Amino acid sequence: MAENVVLLGFWPSSFAMRVKIALAEKGIKYESKEENLFDKSPLLLEMNPVDKKIPVLIHDGKPICESLIIIQYIDEVWHHKSPLMPSDSYLRSQARFWADYVDKNIYGIGKRIWSGKGEDQEAAKKEMIGFLKNMEAELGDKHFFGGESIGFVDVALVPFTTWFYTYETFGNLSVEAECPKLIAWAKRCSQKESVSASLADPHDIYDFALGLRMKYGIQ
Ligand SMILES: N[C@@H](CCC(=O)N[C@@H](CS)C(=O)NCC(=O)O)C(=O)O
């Protein structure tokens, strides 16, 4: 029997893009339902009553929440191809560490850059560069964080590269000047169909962020 897979998402969300990449890597067909986060659907409230956030993956009627948990679920359930987690326990612990490091930093710091100003924005710019340099050091000379093929940490981080143009424009910074190897990695990732088909256009993200700044009266 065909499986029923539904993704509740929102197009500028890097967290939702992660899930799209993982599903594309596995070649899973699914229905994408776009949420309006300013007027959440009864389905989202039913499927994620605790956090009421996207993404939610609904597999045969059952919800899975939290993007990194969803990716691990996808990797376990559809293990026939494109493994995203390392098979070695130690390497798996390291991949989880770095994905968690991404989660603890990039969204919050990025938001302080694109929606902030003044001293805190300057501090956030420094924190962002420090964070990205740590990621670049972890990448080292590897092709992907996952080694020769895309893995858990790549999937966790690459959607946020669609926000780089927004961080750069509002923060007046250049990620490429600071972290050229990371930008080369991002380009390698987007040569993969699973990634390019799942990422939003950076200029659309910028327009979205600009709209939010205007909505919240940020000068
Ligand atoms: N840690 C969550 C973060 C998800 C998240 O922050 N989703 C945002 C959109 S990017 C959301 O649904 N926000 C709605 C709200 O906060 O009410 C994950 O990884 O899935």
Side-chain angles (χ1 to χ4, degrees):
M1 199 174 81
E3 291 177 290
N4 189 317
V5 182
V6 176
L7 172 62
L8 306 186
F10 179 49
W11 70 268
S13 167
S14 301
F15 304 108
M17 290 180 228
R18 286 174 170 173
V19 179
K20 289 179 185 173
I21 296 170
L23 289 168
E25 276 291 314
K26 301 287 181 175
I28 305 302
K29 289 200 169 52
Y30 63 98
E31 182 187 354
S32 189
K33 288 194 177 173
E34 189 71 5
E35 277 294 324
N36 174 359
L37 295 182
F38 300 101
D39 182 18
K40 294 172 183 171
S41 73
L43 183 62
L44 174 58
L45 300 179
E46 182 192 338
M47 292 290 142
N48 189 355
V50 176
D51 288 329
K52 306 175 180 64
K53 290 184 180 183
I54 60 91
V56 180
L57 189 75
I58 310 172
H59 183 201
D60 288 338
K62 292 180 291 192
I64 306 104
C65 303
E66 283 293 322
S67 59
L68 294 182
I69 294 174
I70 298 171
I71 297 168
Q72 292 176 76
Y73 176 84
I74 290 170
D75 200 36
E76 285 176 25
V77 172
W78 292 287
H79 51 80
H80 63 290
K81 67 180 276 206
S82 305
L84 297 171
M85 293 303 271
S87 53
D88 175 83
S89 296
Y90 180 73
L91 294 180
R92 215 159 45 241
S93 79
Q94 298 310 291
R96 288 190 177 119
F97 170 86
W98 285 106
D100 182 58
Y101 180 65
V102 171
D103 260 16
K104 283 180 175 141
N105 287 279
I106 196 165
Y107 180 79
I109 298 173
K111 192 168 180 194
R112 284 164 54 213
I113 295 176
W114 69 258
S115 69
K117 53 184 178 180
E119 270 179 32
D120 188 62
Q121 191 190 43
E122 285 307 311
K125 282 162 61 176
K126 288 198 182 79
E127 288 171 42
M128 178 63 83
I129 297 303
F131 161 76
L132 293 174
K133 281 187 186 296
N134 282 342
M135 294 308 299
E136 195 175 57
E138 166 57 17
L139 177 66
D141 292 324
K142 295 194 293 285
H143 215 60
F144 296 107
F145 288 92
E148 283 308 303
S149 55
I150 193 169
F152 188 51
V153 181
D154 300 280
V155 177
L157 182 62
V158 76
F160 288 94
T161 64
T162 64
W163 281 80
F164 281 5
Y165 175 70
T166 300
Y167 304 154
E168 289 175 326
T169 310
F170 288 116
N172 189 25
L173 62 99
S174 164
V175 176
E176 184 149 31
E178 301 281 353
C179 302
K181 283 187 170 178
L182 204 63
I183 294 298
W185 158 83
K187 286 181 185 153
R188 274 198 298 282
C189 288
S190 54
Q191 279 161 6
K192 291 183 67 70
E193 168 75 19
S194 61
V195 175
S196 60
S198 305
L199 297 187
D201 182 317
H203 292 93
D204 292 342
I205 296 277
Y206 173 80
D207 289 344
F208 170 73
L210 186 63
L212 282 183
R213 278 181 69 107
M214 286 162 69
K215 184 178 162 85
Y216 296 118
I218 302 164
Q219 303 292 318

